Amino acid sequence: MKALFFILIFVVIATAIWQFFKLLGLFKKDQVASEKENNINGWLMIGLGGFIYGLMLYSMVQGKIVLLPMQSASLEGEHIDNLFVITMGLIFFVQFITQFLIYYFTFKYRGIKGRKATFYADSHKLEMWWTITPTVVLSVLIIYGLWTWNMVQDLSTAENPLFIEVYAKQFQWEARYAGEDNQLGIGNVRFIKGINTMGVDMTDLNSADDIPVRELYLPKGRKVIFRFRSQDVLHSAYMPHFRAQINCVPGMITTFGFTPSVTTLEMRDNEDTMAKFDAINELRAERGDEAVEFDYLLLCNKICGSSHYNMQMKITVVEEEDFNNWLKDKKTLAQVLK
Ligand SMILES: [Cu+2]
């Protein structure tokens, strides 16, 4: 397969070089393309247009199973989905028309004997419209995007939010809950020592009751405010089902918040999710891998080194009561580090 790929690339490059020298020859001999050549090129453009549209439809059908579940698992994610659908819908609409015009006009105005190009200097009216229309449309999109982002990132108005710190390192995630006081103690890479792997400052009074964990449980319906740190290089905390992503930057704290709205069990009952998961499990079966069950995931979305692909943490969304039960027998940092 690889060899075939290299041969194909070689053939394409060789053809390009051959065509280039042929073009140089045309200049010398002052040649003009024949009627037949013009027609071939015109029809080839129509063929290319058909191929592009075909490819587009094929990708839409084939790519369906790798898309996320349609239902956002967080309240804020619904706004991000709206933004995404509107933006993509608009792009789709515009490209559909533009593509058609590009291929059709190249065909329609191909070289024909006796036909001359019209000299058309400029039209202020036309230029005004094709400047104003995209400006207005793009401004509306940008303002809508900023409004959505500001609303999603407005973490100050949340009532009784849950605070969680997520710590990124090559190549795993660690996390801690803020504990009883709901305040996270200070963390800094300089405090990393022995099993204090998140570098929590234990002289900070807020640190003692923090609860270190290796997987995340989130309560449905309560705002969760994450703060992210990184130990070594740039990572990106990506929780696709909640439509959340933000960089984890060494020496810096970034934040993101969302309200989980669908429990893991509810998502497993969702038909759309299951249809996608069945398709994925079929592919896994073909490769001899065992079937997996749907789970929310925290993934790294910045290529951060050789095991980047495997940097993930399971997230389980449960009802508030189950969440409290899960958290209550976890050891605090003071108990772990004692
Ligand atoms: Cu990473």
Side-chain angles (χ1 to χ4, degrees):
M1 194 64 206
K2 218 172 172 181
L4 184 76
F5 187 64
F6 280 116
I7 291 172
L8 263 176
I9 288 181
F10 176 77
V11 170
V12 169
I13 291 177
T15 316
I17 293 173
W18 172 52
Q19 287 291 326
F20 179 72
F21 280 104
K22 225 177 114 184
L23 209 65
L24 287 182
L26 280 183
F27 284 128
K28 261 186 239 144
K29 287 186 223 141
D30 197 21
Q31 274 186 6
V32 177
S34 71
E35 192 93 330
K36 194 179 153 207
E37 282 167 332
N38 283 331
N39 278 334
I40 290 176
N41 277 310
W43 282 106
L44 275 177
M45 266 327 245
I46 291 287
L48 182 63
F51 174 73
I52 296 283
Y53 278 123
L55 202 63
M56 180 183 79
L57 294 173
Y58 176 79
S59 316
M60 282 163 74
V61 174
Q62 288 295 311
K64 230 175 157 184
I65 70 152
V66 295
L67 291 180
L68 288 167
M70 296 296 272
Q71 187 185 4
S72 161
S74 74
L75 292 180
E76 293 75 1
E78 286 164 27
H79 294 286
I80 293 179
D81 279 353
N82 283 342
L83 180 68
F84 183 79
V85 166
I86 290 173
T87 311
M88 286 310 284
L90 197 74
I91 291 172
F92 188 83
F93 176 73
V94 172
Q95 74 87 24
F96 200 90
I97 293 173
T98 326
Q99 296 276 9
F100 173 79
L101 293 180
I102 287 173
Y103 297 113
Y104 178 66
F105 280 173
T106 329
F107 169 75
K108 191 177 177 206
Y109 297 111
R110 68 192 184 278
I112 289 178
K113 247 201 182 96
R115 182 155 78 185
K116 275 206 168 156
T118 320
F119 179 72
Y120 191 73
D122 55 49
S123 158
H124 288 258
K125 213 170 166 187
L126 198 64
E127 281 171 30
M128 191 178 78
W129 282 114
W130 77 41
T131 309
I132 288 176
T133 314
T135 309
V136 170
V137 173
L138 289 178
S139 301
V140 168
L141 271 188
I142 288 169
I143 290 167
Y144 180 38
L146 282 174
W147 177 79
T148 306
W149 178 250
N150 285 333
M151 185 178 51
V152 168
Q153 277 292 58
D154 175 23
L155 305 176
S156 56
T157 53
E159 258 177 69
N160 185 32
L162 176 72
F163 287 97
I164 301 176
E165 181 183 79
V166 171
Y167 196 44
K169 64 175 74 167
Q170 288 171 321
F171 296 98
Q172 57 176 311
W173 299 98
E174 286 185 56
R176 62 181 158 127
Y177 286 74
E180 217 154 296
D181 60 359
N182 210 14
Q183 296 220 38
L184 288 159
I186 293 169
N188 190 299
V189 73
R190 287 178 235 286
F191 296 118
I192 293 179
K193 196 179 170 193
I195 53 169
N196 185 359
T197 48
M198 274 181 280
V200 181
D201 178 3
M202 291 311 287
T203 62
D204 182 352
L205 290 176
N206 294 327
S207 301
D209 68 342
D210 289 0
I211 299 165
V213 291
R214 288 290 170 153
E215 62 176 309
L216 290 172
Y217 267 67
L218 305 178
K220 178 181 166 178
R222 184 172 167 197
K223 182 105 173 183
V224 186
I225 295 183
F226 292 93
R227 79 175 198 193
F228 301 94
R229 289 166 52 225
S230 166
Q231 181 185 316
D232 33 46
V233 296
L234 266 186
H235 298 272
S236 187
Y238 181 40
M239 294 175 263
H241 307 96
F242 306 95
R243 317 301 194 237
Q245 170 166 303
I246 201 148
N247 281 352
C248 307
V249 189
M252 205 178 138
I253 289 172
T254 48
T255 51
F256 203 100
F258 60 77
T259 316
S261 56
V262 186
T263 65
T264 299
L265 290 178
E266 282 166 350
M267 198 52 116
R268 281 181 189 169
D269 277 341
N270 179 315
E271 257 174 53
D272 171 52
T273 316
M274 283 335 286
K276 272 167 194 151
F277 244 72
D278 288 344
I280 287 170
N281 276 329
E282 271 168 37
L283 288 177
R284 289 179 68 90
E286 276 172 32
R287 285 198 317 221
D289 292 341
E290 51 186 279
V292 285
E293 222 178 353
F294 173 82
D295 265 311
Y296 294 127
L297 287 174
L298 160 66
L299 301 161
C300 182
N301 207 12
K302 192 130 296 174
I303 299 178
C304 58
S306 57
S307 291
H308 153 77
Y309 71 94
N310 210 15
M311 192 169 156
Q312 52 177 259
M313 190 187 238
K314 192 170 122 180
I315 304 174
T316 311
V317 177
V318 290
E319 299 291 344
E320 177 111 35
E321 194 190 322
D322 299 325
F323 167 75
N324 293 331
N325 282 336
W326 173 81
L327 195 63
K328 92 171 172 250
D329 13 276
K330 294 273 172 297
K331 281 188 176 158
T332 62
L333 267 180
Q335 288 166 330
V336 173
L337 298 178
K338 195 164 54 187

